Amino acid sequence: GGKIRLEINIAPNPVPAYAKIKIGLPELSEPATISVFNNAGQLVQQITVDRGAPQAQLDGLSAGVYMVHVRSGDVAGSGKLLVH
């Protein structure tokens, strides 16, 4: 079975270093894991949000380009985040 694509909304983007980043999520029926990877593909932050949570918050990222992956059950999505 193919994964269902998840639409996520990262704001602000680009964002100043160490600022709070909000990740808007659609209504999810299962808890979601949000993983943040740096340009080298290393996991730099991972958080879990409860099902139905409208958004998650990240902070503490230094300048760089990151990939944000969200997975909740059978749905997954990703977005690029620029921290300057």
Side-chain angles (χ1 to χ4, degrees):
K3 291 251 180 266
I4 302 164
R5 247 190 84 61
L6 182 64
E7 288 300 318
I8 61 171
N9 178 29
I10 303 171
N13 190 8
V15 63
Y18 303 107
K20 288 193 179 350
I21 303 146
K22 287 191 169 32
I23 300 176
L25 301 168
E27 195 152 310
L28 299 170
S29 56
E30 296 182 51
T33 301
I34 300 175
S35 307
V36 183
F37 296 90
N38 64 15
N39 243 354
Q42 297 165 309
L43 180 66
V44 292
Q45 204 169 121
Q46 189 167 60
I47 58 173
T48 303
V49 293
D50 294 334
R51 70 191 183 113
Q55 64 183 29
Q57 190 168 286
L58 300 170
D59 55 26
L61 294 174
S62 54
V65 179
Y66 298 90
M67 283 301 294
V68 179
H69 290 272
V70 180
R71 168 153 293 171
S72 172
D74 268 348
V75 295
S78 60
K80 190 178 267 192
L81 170 64
L82 184 59
V83 180
H84 57 78

